[in-house]
Amino acid sequence: MDNQMPREEGLDHSLSLLKEGYRFIVNRREQLKSDIFETRLLGKKAICMVGSEAAELFYDEDKFQRSDAAPNRIVQTLFGKNSVQTLDGEEHRTRKELLMSVMTTEQINKLLDITELQWEKSLDKWVKMDKIELYEEVKELLCKVAFKWIGAPLHEEEVKTMTKELAAMFESPAAIGPAHWMGRTLRNVIEKTIQQHIQDTREGKVSFPKDSVMHKFSLYKDKNGELLDVETATVEVINMLRPIVAISIYINFTVLALLQYPDQKQKLKMYRDYAKMFVQEVRRFYPFFPFVAAKVKKDFVWNGYHFKEGTLTLLDLYGTNHDPKIWDNPDEFNPERFAHWEGTPFSFIPQGGGDYYLGHRCAGEGITIKLMKIGLDYLVNKMEYEVPEQDLNLELDDIPSIPKSKIILKNIRRVSAQ
Ligand code: HEM
């Protein structure tokens, strides 16, 4: 017999989700004392789940589908229409193969070189400035990196606009009202620019480097020998650009961790392997993507609970990364927990769980870690700075959560190589 899933009473809780942000699922998990519960979102029944067992279930593609799952506001700002995030089965795997085809050692090394060079150039600029807002500066830095890596031109006078456009996509999905609509409008602007590059490539008017994202995505043909339609190819190019700029949020958290836990700097300077553990702990500890969404593909029963076809289901990423069943003292910042960490692909999931190639796990997780390590190296070993009085508060009800002051650094100096 099916058990009744623990349930939150009330007509609709969509506004509470927007208000409570990262704590929406965790708050209810605590109230209802269950890793899985039913609520109502967007006027319909929805299921929320947290934990590694729930993640393993969520990534079972026989049970859950992505098409038609993400709310329209997320598709319009963050994903883009017909993007890899919204596909299932064979169609998803074929598209994902294209995206993963640019994650070769050669391409990744190219990205790392570009990133190092851009940090050097930015540091040259920052030492001449009184103070900087690190978040804004790193977004621009990474926007230049992203364009250079995909192979598309970006003129100095376009940097601010393009940065704003790409950032609006990850800063606005959860926003209400004008900020959200601004995100949508800006997405339309960048789409036009990329579409033009793709069309020009196809018509032979321009030629991007053969192994670049621009070249590969513009000229990619499916199994039937058909080119992707221009809109879809554009969405996937943006799927590479936008998240590289979004790494700025993690760089922010990196500095925040250095400021909040000052003893960490010494450990980073002393132990070579500490940087990797530190970066992993930053990704676990601080909030970025709150949850991922899917729909029940067909009726099934799990642990006695009935999942009805078509029910929206949210997997709590932030909650799983703070799940006391997986992590000792989850609310303690402790990179050393990763020294001998033996997890599964479903227990540490800041960028989704499961398999990169077969499932929806983030295509750029590897490069995110590498780019964060470069940022960390600059912040710990290659520059010195002062941190004036400022409001570094993070609000768990803002998605994404960015320290209020955007991290102001003053009197930046280069540390000369020893
Ligand atoms: C800033 C750090 C990043 C975070 C927090 C992040 C987070 C995520 C999350 C939570 C997902 C959804 C997983 C799911 O649906 O199950 C995802 C998917 C994805 N990410 Fe990332 N990501 C980041 C960086 C990147 C980078 C640098 C790239 C590529 C340059 C990238 C490309 C993608 C793509 C293409 C998908 C869709 C994969 C699919 O649906 O198969 N991400 N990411």
Side-chain angles (χ1 to χ4, degrees), residues 38-187:
E38 203 183 290
T39 182
R40 289 189 67 82
L41 297 172
L42 305 170
K44 290 189 183 147
K45 192 173 103 175
I47 296 172
C48 298
M49 312 194 289
V50 55
S52 55
E53 217 194 332
E56 197 160 353
L57 175 74
F58 182 89
Y59 283 98
D60 180 343
E61 66 170 20
D62 290 334
K63 297 199 167 59
F64 289 96
Q65 66 177 50
R66 298 303 180 97
S67 70
D68 213 20
N72 195 34
R73 59 189 302 117
I74 302 285
V75 175
Q76 295 289 350
T77 48
L78 193 63
F79 295 171
K81 271 186 274 171
N82 194 26
S83 67
V84 67
Q85 288 93 336
T86 65
L87 304 179
D88 293 298
E90 197 47 42
E91 212 185 345
H92 170 257
R93 261 188 291 283
T94 316
R95 183 78 61 79
K96 191 70 177 278
E97 215 173 273
L98 167 66
L99 300 191
M100 296 306 288
S101 75
V102 293
M103 301 295 169
T104 59
T105 310
E106 212 182 18
Q107 280 302 301
I108 293 176
N109 286 340
K110 185 174 155 195
L111 175 65
L112 302 187
D113 288 347
I114 294 170
T115 307
E116 286 265 3
L117 189 66
Q118 202 47 60
W119 271 91
E120 282 298 315
K121 285 187 179 167
S122 296
L123 187 48
D124 277 344
K125 182 181 109 183
W126 298 340
V127 294
K128 293 184 198 125
M129 292 164 71
D130 243 14
K131 59 179 179 186
I132 62 165
E133 256 179 21
L134 188 78
Y135 178 55
E136 296 301 334
E137 290 290 328
V138 174
K139 276 196 292 188
E140 279 187 24
L141 182 165
L142 290 172
C143 179
K144 292 180 193 172
V145 167
F147 270 87
K148 184 109 186 123
W149 183 58
I150 68 157
L154 178 67
H155 303 293
E156 197 52 42
E157 61 278 13
E158 296 170 326
V159 173
K160 284 213 182 312
T161 320
M162 286 303 182
T163 304
K164 198 170 163 194
E165 292 180 10
L166 288 166
M169 294 175 199
F170 58 84
E171 288 171 347
S172 66
I176 308 174
H180 171 75
W181 285 100
M182 183 61 92
R184 276 193 185 199
T185 314
L186 288 174
R187 181 168 189 114

Side-chain angles (χ1 to χ4, degrees), residues 339-375:
H340 304 290
W341 185 75
E342 280 178 28
T344 73
F346 303 102
S347 47
F348 175 42
I349 53 172
Q351 294 178 235
D355 187 88
Y356 300 106
Y357 292 89
L358 302 176
H360 283 274
R361 194 183 186 111
C362 174
E365 189 164 14
I367 60 178
T368 301
I369 295 170
K370 288 184 163 60
L371 263 53
M372 285 175 74
K373 279 175 73 179
I374 292 181

Side-chain angles (χ1 to χ4, degrees), residues 185-196:
T185 314
L186 288 174
R187 181 168 189 114
N188 295 341
V189 177
I190 194 156
E191 276 177 351
K192 285 208 172 66
T193 311
I194 300 293
Q195 270 176 22
Q196 193 59 52

